[in-house]
Amino acid sequence: QLIGFSKVTRDITERREAQARDARFRRVVETAPNAIVMIDAAGSIEMVNAQAEQIFGYAREEMLGKHVEMLVPERFRASHPALRRSFLTDPQSRPMGAGRDLFGLRKDGSEFPIEIGLNPIETDEGPMVLSAIVDISARKRLEERFRRVVEAAPNAMVMINANGRIEMVNAQAEHLFGYARSEMLGQPVEMLVPERFRGHHPGLRGSFFADPKARPMGAGRDLFGLRKDGTEFPVEIGLNPIETDEGPMVLSAIVDISARKRLEERFRRVVEAAPNAMVMIN
């Protein structure tokens, strides 16, 4: 016999709004052009999108709930948990492994170079990390092709960044300046410039970066390089702007014109010693 009843009414507007936000978030992640992997504080994979399935070769259900280290090559796994924890102690959007080469591991065991952007996410289940992962295999192949071209160039090649630091040299540059490659990389390019020209060289660099276009350096002026042994030699330099992921660079093609200068000087002496008047016109 029913003797009464109670009724409890709960406003679930906030829950519905949260569910709607979560659904929108999941749709955005799913349609992102890059692979997306979200992990919790313990490193377990909580969400992936279709792009992540494609680049890693796993079905979604094979990744969810597993440790993210399954996507990391074996040789990096031991240090990866500590890197995860260090991010969570200072969670802010930033690229992962700045200055280091990063690699992902596919289901078939093959490795591939990647870039990763990390973003902290606050959820009802606690803090998460949303990782945007880009396969940069094609870019790395282009970079390697570019390096091979530079290495095989018949002239000395030196590439510097906007701060004047040497980013790349080839074998001809080592031969011409007398430095080993390791002695030049990361150093100011002024180490290859005679002392008397160093004061105004940064200003000339700055003017090139302000108007970057392929052109000869120092048109109308005599240019000189400085070898490791302290000797100077006349050079001609062609400048070419290069856009890279690290920002604008300048690729310099350097030619030692010592032999040409000696011939010119010999010719001048012959003309000067000639018994008759001589005039050269262009």
Side-chain angles (χ1 to χ4, degrees):
Q1 180 181 1
L2 179 66
I3 59 174
F5 67 90
S6 64
K7 180 181 179 181
V8 178
T9 304
R10 184 178 294 111
D11 183 355
I12 62 170
T13 302
E14 186 175 332
R15 186 198 307 169
R16 289 287 179 86
E17 290 176 348
Q19 289 172 343
R21 286 195 300 271
D22 182 65
R24 285 196 299 272
F25 172 70
R26 288 179 181 274
R27 284 198 299 272
V28 169
V29 168
E30 190 61 32
T31 58
N34 300 327
I36 301 291
V37 176
M38 187 170 76
I39 65 171
D40 62 18
S44 294
I45 299 172
E46 294 290 326
M47 185 192 303
V48 297
N49 67 353
Q51 289 292 331
E53 291 181 288
Q54 182 179 344
I55 72 168
F56 287 104
Y58 288 98
R60 195 166 308 214
E61 57 271 15
E62 294 179 283
M63 291 185 279
L64 294 177
K66 303 294 197 306
H67 278 284
V68 71
E69 278 76 26
M70 70 181 290
L71 308 178
V72 177
E74 185 71 36
R75 65 186 187 279
F76 300 123
R77 287 182 187 172
S79 59
H80 197 260
L83 296 172
R84 281 195 286 102
R85 288 191 294 270
S86 68
F87 176 81
L88 289 170
T89 59
D90 181 24
Q92 53 183 298
S93 297
R94 62 174 183 260
M96 176 180 172
R100 293 186 289 115
D101 288 333
L102 304 178
F103 294 88
L105 180 68
R106 295 188 182 93
K107 183 179 180 178
D108 64 10
S110 61
E111 296 184 12
F112 60 105
I114 55 177
E115 283 183 350
I116 304 179
L118 302 177
N119 294 278
I121 302 288
E122 283 299 329
T123 72
D124 293 336
E125 291 77 34
M128 304 271 185
V129 181
L130 192 68
S131 306
I133 305 164
V134 182
D135 180 353
I136 59 171
S137 300
R139 187 199 309 167
K140 286 292 186 182
R141 286 193 294 271
L142 285 173
E143 289 176 358
E144 182 57 29
R145 190 178 304 166
F146 172 72
R147 288 179 184 277
R148 287 199 298 268
V149 168
V150 169
E151 189 63 30
N155 300 326
M157 306 289 278
V158 176
M159 188 168 75
I160 65 168
N161 61 25
N163 297 318
R165 297 280 174 177
I166 298 173
E167 294 286 334
M168 185 191 301
V169 298
N170 67 355
Q172 289 294 330
E174 292 181 288
H175 175 71
L176 183 61
F177 289 100
Y179 288 99
R181 195 167 310 213
S182 57
E183 295 179 283
M184 290 185 278
L185 294 177
Q187 300 302 314
V189 71
E190 280 75 26
M191 70 182 289
L192 308 179
V193 177
E195 185 72 36
R196 66 185 186 278
F197 300 123
R198 290 181 186 174
H200 62 270
H201 195 263
L204 297 173
R205 275 197 289 103
S207 67
F208 178 84
F209 277 102
D211 181 25
K213 56 186 179 184
R215 61 174 182 261
M217 177 180 173
R221 292 186 291 114
D222 288 334
L223 304 178
F224 294 88
L226 180 68
R227 294 190 179 91
K228 183 178 180 179
D229 64 9
T231 58
E232 296 183 12
F233 59 102
V235 294
E236 281 185 352
I237 303 177
L239 303 177
N240 293 276
I242 302 287
E243 283 298 328
T244 74
D245 293 333
E246 292 76 35
M249 305 267 186
V250 180
L251 187 65
S252 306
I254 305 164
V255 181
D256 181 355
I257 59 171
S258 300
R260 187 199 309 169
K261 287 292 186 181
R262 285 194 295 270
L263 285 173
E264 289 177 356
E265 182 58 28
R266 189 179 305 165
F267 177 72
R268 289 179 188 279
R269 286 199 300 267
V270 168
V271 170
E272 190 67 28
N276 302 323
M278 300 191 72
V279 177
M280 186 168 66
I281 61 174
N282 59 24

